[in-house]
Amino acid sequence: MISIRRFFITAIVALVLVFYGVFLYYFLNDQQKKTDLILENIRHDLSETAYVVSTEMATPQDLREFKSFLHRKVANNPLVAAMAIASGSKILITTEHDIRSAPPKKKTQDKLKGLSAHEMLRYDIYETDIPYFIQNQPAYLKLYLYIDKAYLENYFAENTTNSLLFFGVVPLLLLGLLWGLLKRFVTNPLELLRQYAYYQSEIPKRFKLRELEYIRASMVQTFTRLDEEKSELYRLARTDNLSGLANRNHLNERLNWLISEFSRSGQEFALLFMDLDNFKTVNDTLGHEVGDKLLRNVSSLIKQVLRDYDIIARVGGDEFVIVVNHHGNEHELINIIQRVIEKISDVHLVDNHPVKVSASVGVVLYPKDGQSITTLMKNADIAMYEAKNAGKNQFKFFTESLHQQLVHEIELENNMQRALDNGEFELYYQPKISVTTGQVTGAEALIRWIDPNKGVITPDRFIPSAEKSGLMVPLGDWVLETAVRQQIDWKKRGLGDFQVSVNLSPVQLINNHFEEKLNRLIQESGITPSKLDVEMTESQFMENSEQNLSLLHAIQQKGISISLDDFGTGYSSLAYLKKFPINTLKIDKTFMDDYDTESGAIFIETIIKIAQTLNLNVVAEGIEHPEQLDYLVKTGCETYQGFFCSRPLPASEFEKFLTMEKSCCQ
């Protein structure tokens, strides 16, 4: 690739070579023409003089009469220095006294055509014959013409000089001027444009040439726009669009700088990881637009409480990170955190909707609780979840015990994955018994983890971790498949064709492939859908209610029944019983333990009457004493389960239970 400067230099050199090639051709041609004219002049003088002498001379003795004629010839032609007539070697007449003998033949030239300028300048004497008659016999004299060689050389030199001056130097000066103009108005501006394009250095001044000025103005406009867009992109890359706060990228930049500075100075800063409590409920009930405006309100309130040099960033949907980089002591830090929590806990008026939210905050200190961004964020997140588990609307400092708890959870997750791969999980079954007949009407499948070293591990110890880690989906799929195939096996063996209940996790419900896998399981196993019951807690009806409602209707339409587990312990609402497709209510053990009190009995009987009114089945859980069973008979409850009849049993022991006397649990 050639540069413009080199292109112009090459073009000018080529132009010069062509020009001087043409110039040399015409110069040599002109030289030859001038030589021919000079030779013609010499030939004319020689032939004219020879003719005059030949025709007017009677005898050689008459030559003296022609001396003045020869002088006129010499005087009238500046090229001629002298003329002489000789006979043999003897000079008969001459215009120059220094010429005393005829020149030798090798110094004369009688050829007066076809000579070049160089050849012509080699000779300074030209000759021709003067014919005459002696006694009627032809004879010849020699006429010599001596040219003024200095004049002739000067003539050619002057001609060459003039040619070089007008056709050599002047074009060179013009080419130099052209190159200077090109350099000033074309190549230099183009070089400035190139540097501007590559380095976005100083903006070039206006150019004289219109086209280049158009290019310069266009480039300036383009780069100005690009700079503005780059600045805007840089701002957007470091700013949260919704709240206007710093985003995760900007937060990481600031934290890297703080860690670098504070590691040298030995100072301490606090990192607060804050999550809004029940924000999802606001989004689900009032809509995302209200939720977004609430987030903007919260962002504004946080900025009002904190100082200008503190760092505030929104790193997730309702997650904020606050870095308090200058605090005198822990008391001052706690005061700042409490002000933030109190400010957020105020009622927010969003689109005429009074919205009440709170915040859970996890606090870590650099460098005590971590010396990298990853460690600080992880530990702050752990402390924040501890604040949520402790009741929300509060803050918790990260401690070593929380770290150990995290280590334990990670170890538990790893062990669960190993257990799932190695088949260490097993289903236990607790019978559901008819209150009136004592017969088995169904069984609830309950998962147990049979660890080779620790023995039986109950669900309350590993299910929460499974839901957090994502193992709940494959684990739930295994429970559902195992329970269905167990029901089919008992039916084939004649042990009973009763309904098997399986607990569903919220994590399973939000999985996009749950319904597809359920359909495939029913088709492949051949189970009668009515022999399968799924149990859900009240919290599951609250979360993703629209999605859950659509899925539960699809499940019920297949013929599968749906039980509401632990009814009355959570967000109990008659609206759920009307809105959601529920077949069975399960009364929690905590209510049955209180059956013998007036308030407890009223609560239980109310649940049973509601179920009867809505044509729902009722199952009482946690029955451990015969008095509780007698009470259920009086209230009209249909089914119960509990230790009074049987604990959850492995499949093999449950099969033995089925062979017992049918009324053994009455």
Side-chain angles (χ1 to χ4, degrees):
M1 185 177 295
I2 189 170
S3 67
I4 289 180
R5 184 186 298 273
R6 183 171 295 178
F7 170 78
F8 277 123
I9 291 175
T10 304
I12 289 175
V13 169
L15 184 63
V16 168
L17 291 176
V18 171
F19 176 82
Y20 277 103
V22 174
F23 163 72
L24 181 62
Y25 170 78
Y26 282 104
F27 173 75
L28 294 176
N29 189 51
D30 183 66
Q31 287 281 78
Q32 187 61 47
K33 286 181 179 180
K34 286 181 171 56
T35 301
D36 292 341
L37 286 174
I38 292 171
L39 289 173
E40 176 62 22
N41 189 309
I42 294 172
R43 187 193 66 76
H44 179 269
D45 282 353
L46 285 173
S47 61
E48 183 184 14
T49 303
Y51 175 76
V52 170
V53 172
S54 174
T55 56
E56 295 184 5
M57 180 185 69
T59 63
Q61 289 75 15
D62 297 332
L63 284 176
R64 292 187 179 276
E65 298 177 3
F66 294 99
K67 189 171 185 179
S68 59
F69 173 70
L70 293 181
H71 277 289
R72 284 196 304 272
K73 279 290 185 182
V74 172
N76 290 333
N77 193 339
L79 286 173
V80 180
M83 296 183 76
I85 300 174
S87 176
S89 60
K90 181 181 178 182
I91 296 296
L92 301 178
I93 186 174
T94 179
T95 61
E96 180 61 53
H97 298 292
D98 292 338
I99 302 173
R100 295 175 180 170
S101 62
K105 181 64 178 175
K106 63 181 181 180
K107 289 187 177 183
T108 64
Q109 175 63 268
D110 58 2
K111 183 180 179 182
L112 297 175
K113 287 186 178 180
L115 294 179
S116 65
H118 177 68
E119 291 173 331
M120 183 181 70
L121 290 173
R122 286 175 53 192
Y123 299 93
D124 54 2
I125 305 172
Y126 291 85
E127 66 175 38
T128 189
D129 292 331
I130 301 176
Y132 70 98
F133 293 88
I134 299 176
Q135 297 179 357
N136 296 325
Q137 293 295 321
Y140 296 94
L141 296 177
K142 287 291 185 181
L143 175 62
Y144 294 101
L145 187 150
Y146 293 81
I147 66 171
D148 190 342
K149 195 170 184 179
Y151 175 84
L152 192 60
E153 288 177 347
N154 184 63
Y155 172 78
F156 277 106
E158 183 178 354
N159 182 66
T160 302
T161 301
N162 291 335
S163 296
L164 289 176
L165 180 63
F166 290 104
F167 297 100
V169 177
V170 172
L172 278 178
L173 293 176
L174 291 176
L175 288 173
L177 178 62
L178 175 62
W179 169 244
L181 293 174
L182 286 173
K183 185 175 181 182
R184 179 177 178 182
F185 294 107
V186 179
T187 59
N188 285 352
L190 287 174
E191 175 62 19
L192 291 175
L193 290 178
R194 184 191 70 82
Q195 293 180 5
Y196 183 53
Y198 270 91
Y199 309 113
Q200 284 83 58
S201 54
E202 183 180 355
I203 298 176
K205 296 180 180 179
R206 291 175 61 87
F207 297 144
K208 301 297 183 182
L209 295 181
R210 181 187 304 169
E211 290 76 6
L212 290 178
E213 173 56 23
Y214 288 162
I215 295 173
R216 186 201 71 87
S218 176
M219 289 178 65
V220 170
Q221 183 180 12
T222 300
F223 284 129
T224 301
R225 186 177 68 252
L226 287 175
D227 286 341
E228 292 172 353
E229 291 176 355
K230 183 170 66 175
S231 299
E232 180 63 15
L233 286 174
Y234 180 72
R235 186 190 67 79
L236 291 175
R238 302 166 76 250
T239 305
D240 175 58
N241 290 333
L242 177 64
S243 64
L245 300 176
N247 62 8
R248 189 179 292 272
N249 291 333
H250 192 187
L251 174 67
N252 287 341
E253 289 178 11
R254 297 287 299 276
L255 281 176
N256 277 324
W257 183 86
L258 272 180
I259 290 173
S260 176
E261 288 295 313
F262 282 34
S263 63
R264 289 193 291 267
S265 63
Q267 291 177 275
E268 177 184 84
F269 67 81
L271 186 144
L272 285 55
F273 193 98
M274 185 180 76
D275 183 87
L276 298 184
D277 302 324
N278 303 324
F279 176 75
K280 189 174 183 303
T281 304
V282 175
N283 262 347
D284 292 342
T285 55
L286 299 178
H288 289 281
E289 185 175 350
V290 173
D292 290 346
K293 290 182 178 179
L294 175 61
L295 289 174
R296 284 193 283 268
N297 285 355
V298 169
S299 301
S300 178
L301 291 174
I302 296 173
K303 287 194 287 186
Q304 291 175 18
V305 173
L306 296 179
R307 302 156 299 186
D308 292 339
Y309 48 79
D310 292 327
I311 303 170
I312 315 167
R314 177 170 173 257
V315 296
D318 61 336
E319 296 176 340
F320 297 83
V321 170
I322 300 169
V323 179
V324 182
N325 50 32
H326 291 289
H327 58 278
N329 49 50
E330 189 172 297
H331 177 74
E332 181 182 346
L333 175 61
I334 291 174
N335 186 42
I336 293 173
I337 299 170
Q338 287 176 335
R339 290 207 312 272
V340 171
I341 293 176
E342 289 171 4
K343 201 73 173 177
I344 293 174
S345 300
D346 292 341
V347 176
H348 303 265
L349 189 64
V350 184
D351 288 348
N352 296 322
H353 296 287
V355 180
K356 179 75 173 177
V357 291
S358 58
S360 297
V361 181
V363 186
V364 293
L365 299 175
Y366 172 87
K368 179 174 74 69
D369 298 325
Q371 298 183 19
S372 68
I373 296 176
T374 303
T375 304
L376 289 170
M377 292 289 285
K378 180 186 68 176
N379 292 341
D381 186 58
I382 294 171
M384 184 272 293
Y385 274 105
E386 180 66 16
K388 280 191 177 294
N389 294 334
K392 303 179 180 178
N393 195 31
Q394 58 183 291
F395 66 91
K396 290 287 184 181
F397 280 88
F398 177 77
T399 62
E400 185 59 31
S401 61
L402 288 178
H403 177 70
Q404 293 301 324
Q405 179 182 339
L406 175 65
V407 172
H408 172 72
E409 289 182 359
I410 294 174
E411 182 182 3
L412 184 61
E413 290 174 11
N414 293 334
N415 290 338
M416 275 194 296
Q417 183 63 61
R418 184 210 68 221
L420 190 60
D421 295 338
N422 296 341
E424 296 177 10
F425 290 102
E426 183 178 343
L427 287 188
Y428 279 41
Y429 298 89
Q430 186 174 38
K432 294 181 180 180
I433 308 298
S434 170
V435 171
T436 56
T437 66
Q439 294 181 342
V440 176
T441 61
E444 180 180 1
L446 300 167
I447 190 171
R448 298 291 185 269
W449 178 4
I450 316 300
D451 187 276
N453 301 317
K454 300 177 182 179
V456 178
I457 302 176
T458 54
D460 59 318
R461 294 174 57 189
F462 64 83
I463 289 296
S465 180
E467 291 179 335
K468 289 181 184 178
S469 65
L471 281 173
M472 196 63 241
V473 172
L475 190 59
D477 292 343
W478 177 85
V479 170
L480 189 60
E481 181 177 349
T482 303
V484 166
R485 300 199 182 281
Q486 185 65 74
Q487 197 276 344
I488 297 295
D489 180 64
W490 285 336
K491 178 181 177 181
K492 289 180 179 179
R493 292 163 57 193
L495 295 175
D497 188 18
F498 47 81
Q499 191 179 66
V500 174
S501 297
V502 177
N503 291 279
L504 286 186
S505 165
V507 179
Q508 290 176 269
L509 287 180
I510 62 176
N511 184 273
N512 294 330
H513 303 289
F514 176 77
E515 186 178 0
E516 177 187 341
K517 290 186 287 187
L518 181 61
N519 290 335
R520 186 167 59 248
L521 177 60
I522 293 174
Q523 183 178 2
E524 292 177 355
S525 66
I527 189 174
T528 304
S530 61
K531 297 301 179 181
L532 179 61
D533 174 73
V534 294
E535 296 190 8
M536 299 173 57
T537 61
E538 293 179 27
S539 61
Q540 290 173 255
F541 288 95
M542 286 288 294
E543 298 175 356
N544 302 299
S545 57
E546 292 302 322
Q547 180 180 345
N548 286 348
L549 180 61
S550 175
L551 179 59
L552 292 174
H553 275 297
I555 291 174
Q556 194 180 59
Q557 288 172 4
K558 301 179 196 303
I560 300 171
S561 65
I562 301 172
S563 296
L564 178 56
D565 199 9
D566 301 335
F567 181 73
T569 61
Y571 308 96
S572 299
S573 172
L574 294 178
Y576 299 149
L577 302 181
K578 180 181 179 181
K579 181 179 180 181
F580 287 92
I582 299 171
N583 302 97
T584 303
L585 293 181
K586 298 189 74 174
I587 304 174
D588 188 71
K589 179 181 183 300
T590 56
F591 299 122
M592 292 308 305
D593 290 341
D594 202 26
Y595 82 99
D596 54 354
T597 65
E598 182 179 356
S599 60
I602 291 174
F603 198 91
I604 294 171
E605 292 167 15
T606 300
I607 294 175
I608 294 173
K609 288 178 181 179
I610 291 173
Q612 291 172 346
T613 302
L614 296 176
N615 198 27
L616 300 177
N617 299 319
V618 181
V619 176
E621 295 184 293
I623 305 303
E624 298 179 353
H625 308 289
E627 293 81 9
Q628 292 173 311
L629 184 58
D630 293 339
Y631 172 75
L632 291 178
V633 173
K634 295 176 184 178
T635 59
C637 181
E638 304 163 348
T639 309
Y640 78 94
Q641 63 185 95
F643 288 0
F644 175 71
C645 181
S646 174
R647 294 174 177 272
L649 301 171
S652 58
E653 294 184 22
F654 186 79
E655 292 172 4
K656 295 178 182 178
F657 172 83
L658 293 175
T659 61
M660 293 171 58
E661 183 65 32
K662 299 299 182 183
S663 61
C664 65
C665 295
Q666 282 186 307

